[in-house]
Amino acid sequence: IPLLHRILAMSKRPLLLFASPWTAPAWLKTNGDVRGKGALKGKAGDKYHKTWANYFIKFFDEYAKHNVTFWAVTAQNEPLAGLFTPPPAPTIAFTAAQQRDFIVQDLGPALARSPHRTQLLMLDDQRIHLPHWAKVVLGNATAARYVAGLAIHWYLDAIVPPSNLEATHKLFPDHFLLYTEACTGVLMFR
């Protein structure tokens, strides 16, 4: 927080902060661990999902106490990694349908009721999952109202045709596409 305050004081433009969760607390997960393969207990709309959605709001509340606000948040970082992640990595598994339902029943309403104007992004995983993931989530009118855009990773870009970005944009032109995670030298297939 002190570092963010220094950056804000030095910047001539507003700082747009972005958050993306890696995992829920162990007691909310099916595997009882913040690491490894595991999903949220239960199903969308239940006490576990509502509790996890409220964690997002409490996160924003605590930062707001220090005059730090967030421009956007994703529903989950690399939601499909939770299906095959090795034990040491923190994650939560979501399918596109599970993410849609969590957004519709829990996270979207929690953000809408909160005083925070934080935008919600979906996917936050490899673009190889497009346009399918977008069709499942944004194909639901309620989810589409809560979601501002799609967060995309580019690690597999060397093997994924760029046409999936164009196809996704044509299907959902009111939702922006934003690369949120990548680095060079990872999974080079050329």
Side-chain angles (χ1 to χ4, degrees):
I1 291 172
L3 183 58
L4 288 173
H5 285 157
R6 285 182 60 202
I7 294 167
L8 285 164
M10 293 169 44
S11 179
K12 293 179 180 161
R13 296 184 299 189
L15 185 64
L16 300 176
L17 295 177
F18 164 79
S20 186
W22 279 65
T23 187
W27 65 272
L28 284 175
K29 291 182 57 188
T30 56
N31 66 345
D33 194 334
V34 296
R35 301 160 300 169
K37 298 176 185 177
L40 287 176
K41 291 178 180 175
K43 60 183 182 174
D46 69 11
K47 66 181 181 180
Y48 301 107
H49 287 69
K50 295 216 178 299
T51 298
W52 181 229
N54 287 330
Y55 262 78
F56 284 69
I57 306 309
K58 290 191 180 294
F59 172 85
F60 297 132
D61 289 347
E62 291 304 311
Y63 272 90
K65 289 177 184 177
H66 300 278
N67 296 316
V68 176
T69 59
F70 285 80
W71 164 74
V73 66
T74 69
Q76 175 61 38
N77 181 61
E78 296 187 355
L80 288 174
L83 299 174
F84 58 87
T85 298
T91 189
I92 302 173
F94 276 104
T95 64
Q98 289 168 329
Q99 188 173 83
R100 175 200 61 215
D101 296 346
F102 176 57
I103 289 169
V104 167
Q105 296 183 43
D106 306 296
L107 185 55
L111 281 169
R113 285 189 307 268
S114 81
H116 309 288
R117 297 303 96 203
T118 306
Q119 296 187 65
L120 179 59
L121 307 183
M122 55 161 278
L123 185 57
D124 206 16
D125 210 331
Q126 304 302 319
R127 71 178 173 93
I128 197 169
H129 306 302
L130 295 175
H132 167 74
W133 201 281
K135 287 178 182 178
V136 172
V137 177
L138 299 177
N140 178 289
T142 303
R145 281 195 308 273
Y146 288 127
V147 173
L150 292 82
I152 303 162
H153 298 185
W154 77 17
Y155 299 111
L156 301 177
D157 274 15
I159 62 170
V160 181
S163 60
N164 69 351
L165 292 176
E166 186 176 342
T168 303
H169 177 67
K170 283 182 178 179
L171 288 168
F172 305 101
D174 295 333
H175 294 81
F176 62 84
L177 304 170
L178 177 68
Y179 271 125
T180 56
E181 184 180 321
C183 68
T184 59
V186 174
L187 304 177
M188 298 299 290
F189 295 104
R190 294 182 183 173

